[in-house]
Short mmCIF file of all heavy atoms in Angstrom, two decimals:
data_model
loop_
_atom_site.label_atom_id
_atom_site.label_comp_id
_atom_site.label_asym_id
_atom_site.label_seq_id
_atom_site.Cartn_x
_atom_site.Cartn_y
_atom_site.Cartn_z
N GLN A 149 -6.48 -10.73 10.29
CA GLN A 149 -5.28 -10.01 10.76
C GLN A 149 -4.88 -8.93 9.76
O GLN A 149 -4.48 -7.83 10.14
CB GLN A 149 -4.12 -10.98 10.97
CG GLN A 149 -4.32 -11.89 12.17
CD GLN A 149 -3.10 -12.78 12.42
OE1 GLN A 149 -1.98 -12.30 12.52
NE2 GLN A 149 -3.33 -14.07 12.51
N GLN A 150 -5.01 -9.24 8.49
CA GLN A 150 -4.64 -8.24 7.50
C GLN A 150 -5.64 -7.08 7.52
O GLN A 150 -5.24 -5.92 7.33
CB GLN A 150 -4.54 -8.88 6.10
CG GLN A 150 -3.89 -8.01 5.04
CD GLN A 150 -2.48 -7.59 5.38
OE1 GLN A 150 -2.25 -6.92 6.38
NE2 GLN A 150 -1.53 -7.95 4.53
N ARG A 151 -6.90 -7.36 7.80
CA ARG A 151 -7.88 -6.27 7.91
C ARG A 151 -7.57 -5.42 9.15
O ARG A 151 -7.76 -4.19 9.13
CB ARG A 151 -9.30 -6.82 7.94
CG ARG A 151 -9.78 -7.09 6.50
CD ARG A 151 -10.75 -8.23 6.41
NE ARG A 151 -12.00 -7.98 7.10
CZ ARG A 151 -12.90 -8.94 7.40
NH1 ARG A 151 -12.65 -10.19 7.07
NH2 ARG A 151 -14.01 -8.62 8.00
N VAL A 152 -7.08 -6.04 10.22
CA VAL A 152 -6.65 -5.27 11.39
C VAL A 152 -5.46 -4.37 11.02
O VAL A 152 -5.39 -3.20 11.40
CB VAL A 152 -6.28 -6.19 12.58
CG1 VAL A 152 -5.63 -5.40 13.71
CG2 VAL A 152 -7.51 -6.95 13.07
N ALA A 153 -4.53 -4.93 10.23
CA ALA A 153 -3.37 -4.12 9.81
C ALA A 153 -3.83 -2.93 8.97
O ALA A 153 -3.27 -1.83 9.08
CB ALA A 153 -2.39 -4.99 9.03
N ILE A 154 -4.86 -3.13 8.17
CA ILE A 154 -5.40 -2.02 7.38
C ILE A 154 -6.06 -1.00 8.31
O ILE A 154 -5.85 0.22 8.17
CB ILE A 154 -6.39 -2.55 6.31
CG1 ILE A 154 -5.62 -3.38 5.27
CG2 ILE A 154 -7.13 -1.39 5.64
CD1 ILE A 154 -6.50 -4.14 4.29
N ALA A 155 -6.82 -1.49 9.29
CA ALA A 155 -7.45 -0.58 10.26
C ALA A 155 -6.39 0.21 11.03
O ALA A 155 -6.54 1.40 11.29
CB ALA A 155 -8.31 -1.38 11.25
N ARG A 156 -5.28 -0.46 11.33
CA ARG A 156 -4.19 0.20 12.06
C ARG A 156 -3.61 1.34 11.21
O ARG A 156 -3.35 2.43 11.71
CB ARG A 156 -3.09 -0.83 12.39
CG ARG A 156 -1.88 -0.24 13.08
CD ARG A 156 -0.86 -1.30 13.42
NE ARG A 156 -0.43 -2.04 12.23
CZ ARG A 156 0.45 -3.03 12.24
NH1 ARG A 156 0.99 -3.41 13.38
NH2 ARG A 156 0.80 -3.64 11.13
N ALA A 157 -3.44 1.08 9.93
CA ALA A 157 -2.93 2.14 9.05
C ALA A 157 -3.94 3.28 8.93
O ALA A 157 -3.58 4.46 8.99
CB ALA A 157 -2.59 1.56 7.67
N LEU A 158 -5.22 2.93 8.82
CA LEU A 158 -6.26 3.97 8.65
C LEU A 158 -6.42 4.83 9.89
O LEU A 158 -6.81 5.99 9.79
CB LEU A 158 -7.60 3.32 8.32
CG LEU A 158 -7.72 2.64 6.94
CD1 LEU A 158 -9.05 1.92 6.84
CD2 LEU A 158 -7.56 3.67 5.82
N ALA A 159 -6.09 4.27 11.06
CA ALA A 159 -6.23 5.03 12.31
C ALA A 159 -5.33 6.25 12.34
O ALA A 159 -5.59 7.20 13.08
CB ALA A 159 -5.94 4.12 13.50
N MET A 160 -4.29 6.23 11.54
CA MET A 160 -3.40 7.40 11.48
C MET A 160 -3.92 8.45 10.49
O MET A 160 -3.25 9.44 10.23
CB MET A 160 -1.98 6.96 11.11
CG MET A 160 -1.29 6.15 12.21
SD MET A 160 -1.15 7.07 13.75
CE MET A 160 0.16 8.21 13.32
N LYS A 161 -5.09 8.22 9.94
CA LYS A 161 -5.72 9.16 8.99
C LYS A 161 -4.77 9.50 7.84
O LYS A 161 -4.48 10.68 7.60
CB LYS A 161 -6.18 10.44 9.70
CG LYS A 161 -7.12 10.20 10.88
CD LYS A 161 -8.49 9.76 10.41
CE LYS A 161 -9.43 9.45 11.57
NZ LYS A 161 -10.57 8.64 11.19
N PRO A 162 -4.30 8.47 7.15
CA PRO A 162 -3.34 8.72 6.08
C PRO A 162 -4.00 9.43 4.89
O PRO A 162 -5.22 9.34 4.70
CB PRO A 162 -2.91 7.31 5.66
CG PRO A 162 -4.10 6.46 5.99
CD PRO A 162 -4.67 7.05 7.24
N GLU A 163 -3.17 10.09 4.12
CA GLU A 163 -3.66 10.78 2.92
C GLU A 163 -3.47 9.90 1.68
O GLU A 163 -4.07 10.16 0.63
CB GLU A 163 -2.92 12.10 2.76
CG GLU A 163 -3.24 13.06 3.91
CD GLU A 163 -2.24 14.19 4.01
OE1 GLU A 163 -2.26 15.07 3.15
OE2 GLU A 163 -1.43 14.18 4.96
N VAL A 164 -2.61 8.90 1.82
CA VAL A 164 -2.36 7.94 0.75
C VAL A 164 -2.15 6.58 1.43
O VAL A 164 -1.61 6.52 2.53
CB VAL A 164 -1.08 8.31 -0.04
CG1 VAL A 164 -0.78 7.26 -1.11
CG2 VAL A 164 -1.20 9.69 -0.68
N MET A 165 -2.58 5.51 0.76
CA MET A 165 -2.30 4.16 1.28
C MET A 165 -1.48 3.38 0.27
O MET A 165 -1.77 3.38 -0.92
CB MET A 165 -3.61 3.40 1.53
CG MET A 165 -4.39 3.85 2.76
SD MET A 165 -3.71 3.23 4.32
CE MET A 165 -4.15 1.51 4.24
N PHE A 166 -0.45 2.69 0.77
CA PHE A 166 0.35 1.78 -0.04
C PHE A 166 0.05 0.34 0.40
O PHE A 166 0.00 0.07 1.60
CB PHE A 166 1.86 2.00 0.21
CG PHE A 166 2.42 3.27 -0.37
CD1 PHE A 166 3.74 3.62 -0.09
CD2 PHE A 166 1.68 4.10 -1.19
CE1 PHE A 166 4.29 4.78 -0.60
CE2 PHE A 166 2.22 5.26 -1.72
CZ PHE A 166 3.54 5.61 -1.43
N PHE A 167 -0.10 -0.52 -0.58
CA PHE A 167 -0.26 -1.95 -0.29
C PHE A 167 0.82 -2.70 -1.06
O PHE A 167 0.92 -2.57 -2.28
CB PHE A 167 -1.63 -2.44 -0.75
CG PHE A 167 -2.78 -1.83 0.00
CD1 PHE A 167 -3.32 -0.62 -0.38
CD2 PHE A 167 -3.32 -2.47 1.11
CE1 PHE A 167 -4.38 -0.04 0.31
CE2 PHE A 167 -4.38 -1.91 1.82
CZ PHE A 167 -4.91 -0.70 1.42
N ASP A 168 1.65 -3.45 -0.35
CA ASP A 168 2.70 -4.20 -1.04
C ASP A 168 2.42 -5.69 -0.90
O ASP A 168 2.73 -6.30 0.12
CB ASP A 168 4.09 -3.86 -0.47
CG ASP A 168 5.21 -4.38 -1.37
OD1 ASP A 168 4.90 -5.08 -2.37
OD2 ASP A 168 6.38 -4.08 -1.08
N GLU A 169 1.84 -6.27 -1.95
CA GLU A 169 1.49 -7.69 -1.95
C GLU A 169 0.75 -8.08 -0.68
O GLU A 169 1.06 -9.10 -0.05
CB GLU A 169 2.74 -8.54 -2.16
CG GLU A 169 3.39 -8.23 -3.50
CD GLU A 169 4.46 -9.22 -3.90
OE1 GLU A 169 4.49 -10.32 -3.33
OE2 GLU A 169 5.26 -8.89 -4.78
N ALA A 170 -0.26 -7.27 -0.36
CA ALA A 170 -0.96 -7.42 0.92
C ALA A 170 -1.70 -8.75 1.04
O ALA A 170 -2.04 -9.16 2.14
CB ALA A 170 -1.94 -6.27 1.10
N THR A 171 -1.95 -9.42 -0.08
CA THR A 171 -2.69 -10.68 0.01
C THR A 171 -1.83 -11.90 -0.33
O THR A 171 -2.32 -13.03 -0.33
CB THR A 171 -3.92 -10.68 -0.94
OG1 THR A 171 -3.47 -10.46 -2.28
CG2 THR A 171 -4.90 -9.58 -0.56
N SER A 172 -0.54 -11.67 -0.58
CA SER A 172 0.31 -12.78 -1.05
C SER A 172 0.51 -13.89 -0.03
O SER A 172 0.78 -15.03 -0.41
CB SER A 172 1.67 -12.26 -1.49
OG SER A 172 1.51 -11.39 -2.57
N ALA A 173 0.44 -13.54 1.26
CA ALA A 173 0.69 -14.56 2.28
C ALA A 173 -0.59 -15.23 2.76
O ALA A 173 -0.54 -16.08 3.64
CB ALA A 173 1.43 -13.93 3.45
N LEU A 174 -1.72 -14.85 2.19
CA LEU A 174 -2.99 -15.37 2.69
C LEU A 174 -3.42 -16.65 1.99
O LEU A 174 -3.14 -16.83 0.80
CB LEU A 174 -4.10 -14.32 2.49
CG LEU A 174 -3.92 -12.98 3.20
CD1 LEU A 174 -5.07 -12.05 2.84
CD2 LEU A 174 -3.82 -13.16 4.70
N ASP A 175 -4.12 -17.49 2.73
CA ASP A 175 -4.73 -18.66 2.09
C ASP A 175 -5.72 -18.15 1.04
O ASP A 175 -6.38 -17.13 1.26
CB ASP A 175 -5.48 -19.50 3.13
CG ASP A 175 -4.50 -20.20 4.08
OD1 ASP A 175 -3.35 -20.44 3.65
OD2 ASP A 175 -4.88 -20.47 5.22
N PRO A 176 -5.84 -18.88 -0.06
CA PRO A 176 -6.65 -18.39 -1.19
C PRO A 176 -8.06 -17.96 -0.81
O PRO A 176 -8.55 -16.95 -1.31
CB PRO A 176 -6.69 -19.59 -2.14
CG PRO A 176 -5.51 -20.42 -1.77
CD PRO A 176 -5.18 -20.16 -0.35
N GLU A 177 -8.69 -18.67 0.12
CA GLU A 177 -10.09 -18.35 0.44
C GLU A 177 -10.21 -17.05 1.25
O GLU A 177 -11.30 -16.52 1.42
CB GLU A 177 -10.78 -19.51 1.15
CG GLU A 177 -10.38 -19.73 2.59
CD GLU A 177 -9.13 -20.61 2.76
OE1 GLU A 177 -8.36 -20.77 1.78
OE2 GLU A 177 -8.92 -21.12 3.88
N LEU A 178 -9.07 -16.54 1.74
CA LEU A 178 -9.11 -15.32 2.55
C LEU A 178 -8.77 -14.08 1.74
O LEU A 178 -8.91 -12.95 2.20
CB LEU A 178 -8.13 -15.44 3.73
CG LEU A 178 -8.37 -16.65 4.63
CD1 LEU A 178 -7.28 -16.74 5.70
CD2 LEU A 178 -9.75 -16.58 5.27
N VAL A 179 -8.30 -14.30 0.53
CA VAL A 179 -7.82 -13.18 -0.30
C VAL A 179 -8.96 -12.23 -0.68
O VAL A 179 -8.83 -11.01 -0.60
CB VAL A 179 -7.13 -13.73 -1.58
CG1 VAL A 179 -6.89 -12.64 -2.59
CG2 VAL A 179 -5.81 -14.42 -1.20
N LYS A 180 -10.09 -12.83 -1.03
CA LYS A 180 -11.20 -12.05 -1.56
C LYS A 180 -11.67 -10.94 -0.61
O LYS A 180 -11.92 -9.81 -1.03
CB LYS A 180 -12.37 -12.99 -1.85
CG LYS A 180 -12.92 -12.87 -3.26
CD LYS A 180 -13.92 -13.99 -3.51
CE LYS A 180 -15.15 -13.43 -4.19
NZ LYS A 180 -16.15 -14.49 -4.43
N GLY A 181 -11.81 -11.29 0.68
CA GLY A 181 -12.30 -10.32 1.66
C GLY A 181 -11.38 -9.13 1.80
O GLY A 181 -11.84 -7.99 1.92
N VAL A 182 -10.07 -9.39 1.76
CA VAL A 182 -9.10 -8.29 1.89
C VAL A 182 -9.12 -7.41 0.63
O VAL A 182 -9.12 -6.19 0.71
CB VAL A 182 -7.69 -8.84 2.18
CG1 VAL A 182 -6.65 -7.73 2.16
CG2 VAL A 182 -7.66 -9.54 3.54
N LEU A 183 -9.20 -8.06 -0.53
CA LEU A 183 -9.27 -7.29 -1.77
C LEU A 183 -10.55 -6.44 -1.81
O LEU A 183 -10.54 -5.30 -2.28
CB LEU A 183 -9.21 -8.20 -2.99
CG LEU A 183 -7.88 -8.93 -3.23
CD1 LEU A 183 -7.99 -9.84 -4.44
CD2 LEU A 183 -6.72 -7.95 -3.40
N ALA A 184 -11.64 -7.01 -1.30
CA ALA A 184 -12.91 -6.26 -1.30
C ALA A 184 -12.80 -5.03 -0.41
O ALA A 184 -13.29 -3.95 -0.76
CB ALA A 184 -14.05 -7.17 -0.82
N LEU A 185 -12.13 -5.19 0.73
CA LEU A 185 -11.93 -4.04 1.62
C LEU A 185 -11.07 -2.98 0.92
O LEU A 185 -11.37 -1.78 0.98
CB LEU A 185 -11.26 -4.51 2.92
CG LEU A 185 -10.79 -3.41 3.88
CD1 LEU A 185 -11.96 -2.52 4.32
CD2 LEU A 185 -10.12 -4.03 5.11
N MET A 186 -10.01 -3.42 0.25
CA MET A 186 -9.16 -2.47 -0.46
C MET A 186 -9.96 -1.73 -1.55
O MET A 186 -9.82 -0.52 -1.72
CB MET A 186 -7.96 -3.20 -1.09
CG MET A 186 -6.97 -3.69 -0.04
SD MET A 186 -5.82 -4.94 -0.68
CE MET A 186 -5.01 -4.02 -1.98
N ALA A 187 -10.79 -2.47 -2.25
CA ALA A 187 -11.62 -1.84 -3.29
C ALA A 187 -12.56 -0.80 -2.67
O ALA A 187 -12.76 0.28 -3.23
CB ALA A 187 -12.41 -2.91 -4.05
N ASP A 188 -13.12 -1.13 -1.49
CA ASP A 188 -14.01 -0.18 -0.80
C ASP A 188 -13.27 1.10 -0.42
O ASP A 188 -13.81 2.20 -0.54
CB ASP A 188 -14.56 -0.80 0.49
CG ASP A 188 -15.75 -1.70 0.23
OD1 ASP A 188 -16.32 -1.62 -0.88
OD2 ASP A 188 -16.11 -2.47 1.14
N LEU A 189 -12.04 0.95 0.04
CA LEU A 189 -11.25 2.14 0.42
C LEU A 189 -11.04 3.01 -0.81
O LEU A 189 -11.14 4.23 -0.76
CB LEU A 189 -9.90 1.74 1.01
CG LEU A 189 -9.92 0.95 2.30
CD1 LEU A 189 -8.50 0.60 2.73
CD2 LEU A 189 -10.64 1.71 3.40
N GLY A 190 -10.72 2.35 -1.92
CA GLY A 190 -10.51 3.09 -3.17
C GLY A 190 -11.76 3.83 -3.60
O GLY A 190 -11.71 5.02 -3.93
N SER A 191 -12.90 3.15 -3.53
CA SER A 191 -14.12 3.84 -3.98
C SER A 191 -14.58 4.86 -2.94
O SER A 191 -15.36 5.75 -3.25
CB SER A 191 -15.23 2.86 -4.35
OG SER A 191 -15.39 1.91 -3.34
N GLY A 192 -14.08 4.74 -1.71
CA GLY A 192 -14.40 5.72 -0.68
C GLY A 192 -13.58 6.99 -0.76
O GLY A 192 -13.79 7.91 0.02
N GLY A 193 -12.62 7.05 -1.68
CA GLY A 193 -11.88 8.31 -1.88
C GLY A 193 -10.43 8.28 -1.46
O GLY A 193 -9.73 9.29 -1.56
N MET A 194 -9.95 7.11 -0.98
CA MET A 194 -8.53 7.04 -0.62
C MET A 194 -7.68 7.04 -1.89
O MET A 194 -8.10 6.52 -2.92
CB MET A 194 -8.29 5.76 0.20
CG MET A 194 -6.87 5.55 0.69
SD MET A 194 -6.15 6.98 1.53
CE MET A 194 -7.05 6.98 3.07
N THR A 195 -6.51 7.64 -1.80
CA THR A 195 -5.52 7.53 -2.87
C THR A 195 -4.70 6.28 -2.58
O THR A 195 -4.20 6.13 -1.46
CB THR A 195 -4.58 8.75 -2.86
OG1 THR A 195 -5.37 9.94 -2.91
CG2 THR A 195 -3.60 8.69 -4.02
N MET A 196 -4.56 5.39 -3.56
CA MET A 196 -3.90 4.12 -3.27
C MET A 196 -2.88 3.74 -4.34
O MET A 196 -3.13 3.90 -5.54
CB MET A 196 -4.93 3.00 -3.17
CG MET A 196 -6.12 3.34 -2.28
SD MET A 196 -6.76 1.92 -1.40
CE MET A 196 -7.37 0.95 -2.74
N VAL A 197 -1.75 3.23 -3.86
CA VAL A 197 -0.78 2.59 -4.76
C VAL A 197 -0.71 1.13 -4.31
O VAL A 197 -0.36 0.84 -3.16
CB VAL A 197 0.61 3.23 -4.68
CG1 VAL A 197 1.56 2.55 -5.67
CG2 VAL A 197 0.53 4.73 -4.95
N VAL A 198 -1.08 0.23 -5.22
CA VAL A 198 -1.23 -1.17 -4.86
C VAL A 198 -0.28 -2.01 -5.71
O VAL A 198 -0.42 -2.09 -6.93
CB VAL A 198 -2.68 -1.63 -5.12
CG1 VAL A 198 -2.84 -3.11 -4.74
CG2 VAL A 198 -3.68 -0.77 -4.35
N VAL A 199 0.71 -2.61 -5.05
CA VAL A 199 1.57 -3.58 -5.73
C VAL A 199 0.92 -4.94 -5.53
O VAL A 199 0.67 -5.34 -4.39
CB VAL A 199 2.99 -3.58 -5.12
CG1 VAL A 199 3.81 -4.75 -5.68
CG2 VAL A 199 3.68 -2.26 -5.37
N THR A 200 0.61 -5.62 -6.62
CA THR A 200 -0.13 -6.87 -6.47
C THR A 200 0.14 -7.85 -7.60
O THR A 200 0.51 -7.46 -8.71
CB THR A 200 -1.65 -6.60 -6.37
OG1 THR A 200 -2.32 -7.81 -6.04
CG2 THR A 200 -2.22 -6.05 -7.67
N HIS A 201 -0.05 -9.13 -7.27
CA HIS A 201 -0.03 -10.18 -8.29
C HIS A 201 -1.46 -10.57 -8.66
O HIS A 201 -1.66 -11.48 -9.46
CB HIS A 201 0.71 -11.42 -7.77
CG HIS A 201 2.17 -11.17 -7.54
ND1 HIS A 201 3.01 -10.74 -8.54
CD2 HIS A 201 2.92 -11.26 -6.42
CE1 HIS A 201 4.22 -10.59 -8.04
NE2 HIS A 201 4.20 -10.89 -6.75
N GLU A 202 -2.43 -9.91 -8.02
CA GLU A 202 -3.84 -10.24 -8.28
C GLU A 202 -4.30 -9.48 -9.52
O GLU A 202 -4.74 -8.33 -9.45
CB GLU A 202 -4.71 -9.84 -7.08
CG GLU A 202 -4.41 -10.62 -5.82
CD GLU A 202 -4.92 -12.05 -5.88
OE1 GLU A 202 -5.81 -12.33 -6.71
OE2 GLU A 202 -4.42 -12.88 -5.11
N MET A 203 -4.20 -10.13 -10.66
CA MET A 203 -4.51 -9.44 -11.91
C MET A 203 -6.00 -9.11 -12.03
O MET A 203 -6.37 -8.12 -12.65
CB MET A 203 -4.04 -10.27 -13.11
CG MET A 203 -2.52 -10.43 -13.15
SD MET A 203 -1.66 -8.84 -13.25
CE MET A 203 -0.31 -9.13 -12.12
N GLY A 204 -6.85 -9.92 -11.40
CA GLY A 204 -8.29 -9.62 -11.41
C GLY A 204 -8.57 -8.30 -10.71
O GLY A 204 -9.35 -7.47 -11.18
N PHE A 205 -7.90 -8.10 -9.57
CA PHE A 205 -8.04 -6.85 -8.83
C PHE A 205 -7.50 -5.69 -9.66
O PHE A 205 -8.14 -4.65 -9.79
CB PHE A 205 -7.27 -6.96 -7.50
CG PHE A 205 -7.29 -5.69 -6.68
CD1 PHE A 205 -8.29 -5.49 -5.72
CD2 PHE A 205 -6.33 -4.71 -6.85
CE1 PHE A 205 -8.33 -4.33 -4.96
CE2 PHE A 205 -6.36 -3.55 -6.09
CZ PHE A 205 -7.35 -3.36 -5.15
N ALA A 206 -6.31 -5.89 -10.23
CA ALA A 206 -5.69 -4.82 -11.02
C ALA A 206 -6.62 -4.40 -12.15
O ALA A 206 -6.80 -3.21 -12.43
CB ALA A 206 -4.35 -5.29 -11.60
N ARG A 207 -7.25 -5.37 -12.77
CA ARG A 207 -8.13 -5.07 -13.90
C ARG A 207 -9.41 -4.39 -13.45
O ARG A 207 -9.86 -3.43 -14.08
CB ARG A 207 -8.46 -6.36 -14.65
CG ARG A 207 -9.30 -6.13 -15.88
CD ARG A 207 -9.84 -7.44 -16.39
NE ARG A 207 -8.99 -8.07 -17.37
CZ ARG A 207 -9.00 -7.76 -18.67
NH1 ARG A 207 -9.77 -6.81 -19.13
NH2 ARG A 207 -8.21 -8.41 -19.50
#
Side-chain angles (χ1 to χ4, degrees):
Q149 289 184 53
Q150 192 59 299
R151 277 149 65 195
V152 171
I154 293 171
R156 177 178 57 181
L158 291 174
M160 291 300 286
K161 304 288 177 199
E163 296 163 71
V164 177
M165 285 283 288
F166 288 174
F167 294 86
D168 193 355
E169 299 192 18
T171 59
S172 297
L174 299 178
D175 290 334
E177 73 274 19
L178 303 176
V179 168
K180 233 171 135 181
V182 173
L183 293 178
L185 171 60
M186 290 163 60
D188 278 346
L189 297 178
S191 49
M194 182 50 72
T195 306
M196 311 214 294
V197 182
V198 180
V199 171
T200 188
H201 294 302
E202 295 287 340
M203 295 301 139
F205 177 92
R207 183 192 269 277

